[in-house]
Amino acid sequence: MDKESQHQIDVQVETRYVESQSLPNEDRFVFSYTITIRNDGESSARLLNRHWIITDANGKVQEVRGEGVVGEQPQLNPGETFRYTSGTVLDTPVGSMQGSYDMVDGQGNRFDALIPPFSLARPGSLH
């Protein structure tokens, strides 16, 4: 079994602007994001750590590293999914996020599951 078919982690993202927590006059724009992680591979996989690169419209970059997601290190057997919601705060109404999850398979092999770039935007900000 080659590593490509063994490690297939699909990451889907839905974002939402949280108007009730945002203060545009104070350059505070709050976004939530819901991530669905699906193990499409042939081996179990556990999410150990996360690494996010968050960029606002001014080019300010925040890097976030930490253990697990929302306090968990989910174990995904082939075909299983894990879904969670988290959030971030930007100084601008538009930004982007991307990153990776540090994973380990059932044999103890570490690998990265990439999170493709996605946009964060207050409604009406992009024309």
Side-chain angles (χ1 to χ4, degrees):
M1 171 171 36
D2 67 48
K3 287 217 188 299
E4 281 305 307
S5 61
Q6 185 178 354
H7 302 148
Q8 291 183 0
I9 304 297
D10 182 56
V11 179
Q12 299 294 321
V13 182
E14 300 167 44
T15 63
R16 189 172 67 84
Y17 175 65
V18 185
E19 189 169 5
S20 63
Q21 295 178 26
S22 297
L23 300 167
N25 294 340
E26 297 176 24
D27 293 332
R28 176 185 165 87
F29 300 89
V30 179
F31 298 90
S32 71
Y33 53 90
T34 299
I35 307 275
T36 304
I37 306 165
R38 180 178 168 84
N39 183 353
D40 289 330
E42 298 173 5
S43 176
S44 66
R46 179 180 297 278
L47 190 157
L48 299 176
N49 302 292
R50 69 188 180 284
H51 176 215
W52 287 111
I53 299 168
I54 307 163
T55 308
D56 73 12
N58 295 327
K60 177 182 162 192
V61 176
Q62 303 173 62
E63 279 202 62
V64 178
R65 294 178 188 270
E67 230 177 64
V69 289
V70 294
E72 295 187 51
Q73 291 182 315
Q75 172 79 31
L76 297 168
N77 292 315
E80 289 184 340
T81 62
F82 180 81
R83 187 177 173 101
Y84 74 94
T85 300
S86 191
T88 192
V89 179
L90 298 180
D91 296 338
T92 60
V94 176
S96 67
M97 288 179 65
Q98 64 183 337
S100 63
Y101 295 127
D102 174 26
M103 312 281 292
V104 63
D105 67 18
Q107 292 72 46
N109 300 306
R110 303 274 289 251
F111 66 98
D112 286 336
L114 297 181
I115 307 159
F118 59 91
S119 296
L120 303 166
R122 182 175 72 172
S125 296
L126 300 175
H127 298 284

